Amino acid sequence: MIDPTLLVQMVLGALLGLSVYLPLSGGQLSLATPGFYAIGGYMAALLSTGWPALGGAAPLYPLPSLLLELGLAGALAAAVALAIGGPVLKLRGIYLAIATISLVEILRVLNLNLPFTGGAVGIFAIPQPFSDPAGYLGAALLLLLLVGLLCQRLEGMRFGRAQAAIRDDELAASCMGIDTARVKLTAFVISAVIAALTGVLSAHFLNTWNARQGSFDASITTLAFVVFGGSRSWLGPIAGGLALTAVPELLRPIGDLRLIVYGLVIVVGPVFFPQGLITPELLKGLARWWPWRQREAAP
Amino acid sequence: MDTLLQILFNGLSVGAVYALFALGYTLVFSVLGVINFAQGAVFTLGAYFTYLLIGGAVGANGLLAGLALPFALPFWLALPLAGLAAALVSLLVEAVAFRPLRRRRAEPLLYLITSLGAGVILVNLIQLLMGAEGYSLPADSLGALPVALNLGGAQVRTVQLVLLGVSALVLIGLTLWLEGSRGGKALQAVSEDATTARLLGIDSDGMILLSFAVSGFLAGISGGLVGLSISITGPYFGIGFGLKALGVLVLGGLGSVPGAVLAGLIIGLAEALVPSELSGYKDAVAFAFLFAVLLLRPQGLLGRPQVTKV
């Protein structure tokens, strides 16, 4: 039986994977997710411990307060993403990746040094809205379901097709009349909001929040979720996030060797699954067994 | 109170090491077009190798607890040897994290993941073998040299001069080799156009290995120098440096050797000029600089602008 605490972590991992996936499915290698995740976490930690009116002293932190935090964190992340997205998204490929890593590092150093973020110790005793991990699991799964549905809807819309066009050839896409800057910015903002919402849940779940929650390692780890799971469908990052969060925890019995084995998994995985676990072919194969599939149109 | 001259020396010596380390990234990037995220771990290894070679003993926590090499080398001999050992590790990283993907012509994104995975393995191997504690090189590592020198009325730590001197030597050597030797020219040819280079009879696979070896050597040397100047704070200490060197590299312009040197010195000086009451923010200086420059001049200070051909 898998520990429910681990399940919550896995679902949070899947959410972070989706946050990296959204810009990537438009060809944008943005690694800013841990930065926005940290913003969300600090928002939740500061509000719930510093604003008594939200009900932090109650035995169970009120759900409306949690919703308020989610709203505020999402809004702040969206505002930051909108502000920096314009200039940052003009960068391409590895330059974009490094600019977003820089952003994450700047945020990390700020969080470590600002007077109100608790320094290296961070903020602790964050109130709990749920009495057991099952409650968190429910909340995280609900968020994952909503984000997954959003991704699925987006892929079928004009926005999703524009993303695919930009991924294949940005220049050609802009020549076809796609407002590439706008599409890229939209994906960046949605990705930031997903990360911040995940951060809010995560801060309450972990009970403590510090600057280690958003670091360079996390940037690449979340990218690994997407690459490992498959970057061609929104199911990929979910699979990757679930799997790669579970591996180090399931390896706990082997003690000190576990991160070495985890490293091996990351090194060997892409060699055998260059397209990730969930590939378009796999999905097509599965769709054949889907009983309610629509009849394919005659050629 | 530090005088301006001391601050200047501090900045320049750290900056020179940044430049050295950044050049290691640039070699692999110019040949393969990908960034090797294991570089930070190789840097860490260089520092640990240097520590062991000058006769340092392993602390109490690793599997190798209490062990020490039966000999103790002087620093000037230990450093290049540590660099060579780091070069070997870098070749190993290439064989494990890069070659299998290159054979399969995988997309460049995957290299970021596999090289980071290789870095995770190396860092945790160090932790397993030598424990998580920090190490510092003994104060008498530099032999009979005095701890500080009096230069024009200012006390300058000898270590800073060693950093500056060694980095300058290696940089000059590297430039001479790249510009003046057959091997260096072949490496440049492969980075310009691998297919044409192969048609001209250049062993491009060999050149890839060479770039990994040289970049591992540079990372190892930088690690040893930083280990001497500050101390080894634990198995993860190279990661932050690696990231900063990556910043230096992009700031200077990917693939530009003079750019990396200039950017290294600028970042080193900028960090040294951060007043001590704000020293917590020092680590953000490089990234704030980089972020600003990327937005204003995406090709870096001395890089060539990317031209998109249609």
Side-chain angles (χ1 to χ4, degrees):
Chain A
M1 183 57 206
I2 303 179
D3 177 20
T5 315
L6 173 59
L7 284 177
V8 181
Q9 286 173 346
M10 288 165 63
V11 176
L12 294 174
L15 278 163
L16 291 178
L18 282 176
S19 164
V20 179
Y21 164 77
L22 256 171
L24 194 65
S25 62
Q28 307 305 308
L29 182 54
S30 158
L31 299 176
T33 291
F36 292 111
Y37 174 69
I39 287 182
Y42 274 108
M43 175 69 102
L46 288 171
L47 285 180
S48 61
T49 58
W51 191 8
L54 286 179
L60 274 189
Y61 190 63
L63 282 183
S65 304
L66 183 67
L67 288 176
L68 179 71
E69 279 174 13
L70 287 168
L72 287 175
L76 178 65
V80 174
L82 269 175
I84 59 166
V88 167
L89 290 167
K90 288 204 185 97
L91 299 168
R92 292 187 190 178
I94 202 74
Y95 289 91
L96 175 62
I98 290 171
T100 48
I101 290 179
S102 310
L103 191 73
V104 172
E105 279 297 299
I106 294 170
L107 279 173
R108 187 183 66 84
V109 174
L110 286 181
N111 289 334
L112 206 54
N113 290 290
L114 284 176
F116 53 87
T117 45
V121 184
I123 298 165
F124 44 90
I126 301 172
Q128 303 289 305
F130 307 106
S131 56
D132 58 346
Y136 284 102
L137 186 59
L141 276 176
L142 183 66
L143 187 58
L144 181 65
L145 185 74
L146 289 175
V147 174
L149 281 177
L150 174 75
C151 289
Q152 215 243 341
R153 284 298 301 139
L154 285 176
E155 262 161 43
M157 285 162 56
R158 190 184 154 78
F159 170 80
R161 281 187 248 276
Q163 284 249 83
I166 296 174
R167 181 181 60 205
D168 287 343
D169 190 335
E170 187 170 338
L171 193 62
S174 72
C175 292
M176 302 289 288
I178 294 171
D179 185 351
T180 55
R182 194 191 166 90
V183 171
K184 290 198 285 187
L185 187 60
T186 310
F188 188 62
V189 170
I190 300 176
S191 150
V193 173
I194 297 172
L197 299 184
T198 313
V200 171
L201 280 187
S202 193
H204 283 287
F205 173 65
L206 295 173
N207 194 10
T208 148
W209 199 255
N210 57 43
R212 275 198 303 277
Q213 301 300 338
S215 65
F216 156 71
D217 294 18
S219 293
I220 303 290
T221 313
T222 41
L223 176 63
F225 293 169
V226 183
V227 172
F228 205 82
S231 60
R232 290 290 161 148
S233 147
W234 57 275
L235 288 168
I238 294 184
L242 292 173
L244 284 188
T245 318
V247 167
E249 296 304 319
L250 294 178
L251 289 173
R252 258 189 208 287
I254 61 171
D256 292 339
L257 280 174
R258 80 188 170 105
L259 284 172
I260 295 176
V261 175
Y262 176 67
L264 276 175
V265 170
I266 305 185
V267 171
V268 174
V271 176
F272 291 105
F273 301 98
Q275 295 204 335
L277 298 172
I278 311 276
T279 60
E281 290 77 42
L282 179 74
L283 289 177
K284 241 178 246 167
L286 286 177
R288 209 173 299 149
W289 302 101
W290 185 250
W292 301 281
R293 78 192 157 113
Q294 290 177 327
R295 200 173 291 273
E296 275 160 36
Chain B
M1 184 60 205
D2 282 356
T3 64
L4 194 64
L5 194 66
Q6 277 167 315
I7 295 178
L8 210 67
F9 262 104
N10 275 337
L12 286 179
S13 60
V14 175
V17 178
Y18 285 155
L20 205 61
F21 192 13
L23 284 176
Y25 279 105
T26 226
L27 283 176
V28 171
F29 181 84
S30 62
V31 171
L32 282 185
V34 294
I35 282 172
N36 174 10
F37 274 125
Q39 193 78 347
V42 175
F43 169 97
T44 313
L45 271 176
Y48 276 87
F49 284 145
T50 312
Y51 172 80
L52 289 175
L53 284 170
I54 62 167
V58 181
N61 289 318
L63 282 182
L64 300 176
L67 238 67
L69 291 176
F71 51 85
L73 298 175
F75 181 77
W76 58 267
L77 199 59
L79 187 67
L81 282 179
L84 286 178
L88 287 178
V89 174
S90 184
L91 287 176
L92 207 64
V93 168
E94 194 276 337
V96 173
F98 287 80
R99 202 178 306 158
L101 289 176
R102 219 170 62 234
R103 289 245 170 84
R104 291 172 168 76
R105 298 176 194 283
E107 59 170 322
L109 196 59
L110 296 180
Y111 292 100
L112 297 185
I113 309 293
T114 52
S115 65
L116 185 88
V120 169
I121 296 175
L122 289 177
V123 165
N124 284 286
L125 268 179
I126 297 176
Q127 181 152 348
L128 188 68
L129 294 176
M130 295 192 57
E133 67 255 57
Y135 291 93
S136 29
L137 273 66
D140 62 349
S141 302
L142 293 172
L145 289 178
V147 179
L149 290 176
N150 200 326
L151 279 185
Q155 292 285 318
V156 176
R157 282 174 68 206
T158 315
V159 176
Q160 316 289 28
L161 294 177
V162 170
L163 254 62
L164 204 54
V166 173
S167 311
L169 267 181
V170 176
L171 284 174
I172 292 170
L174 186 72
T175 313
L176 286 178
W177 174 71
L178 274 175
E179 299 297 332
S181 74
R182 267 183 92 84
K185 292 233 158 114
L187 196 71
Q188 289 193 40
V190 175
S191 71
E192 196 72 39
D193 186 337
T195 318
T196 313
R198 207 174 302 128
L199 289 173
L200 291 172
I202 295 171
D203 171 14
S204 61
D205 276 347
M207 287 300 135
I208 290 172
L209 287 179
L210 187 64
S211 73
F212 271 90
V214 176
S215 88
F217 181 78
L218 292 175
I221 297 260
S222 327
L225 287 173
V226 173
L228 175 74
S229 134
I230 44 180
S231 64
I232 307 172
T233 49
Y236 287 91
F237 105 117
I239 308 286
F241 265 91
L243 206 54
K244 226 180 264 179
L246 190 61
V248 164
L249 173 63
V250 179
L251 182 61
L254 271 173
S256 159
V257 174
V261 175
L262 179 68
L265 295 180
I266 288 178
I267 296 295
L269 278 177
E271 285 187 349
L273 289 172
V274 173
S276 55
E277 59 270 23
L278 292 177
S279 63
Y281 292 99
K282 207 168 102 174
D283 282 337
V285 169
F287 297 105
F289 226 104
L290 172 65
F291 195 72
V293 170
L294 273 179
L295 299 188
L296 298 172
R297 201 180 147 78
Q299 71 270 36
L301 294 173
L302 297 183
R304 281 180 286 182
Q306 284 173 299
V307 181
T308 321
K309 290 180 191 156
V310 184

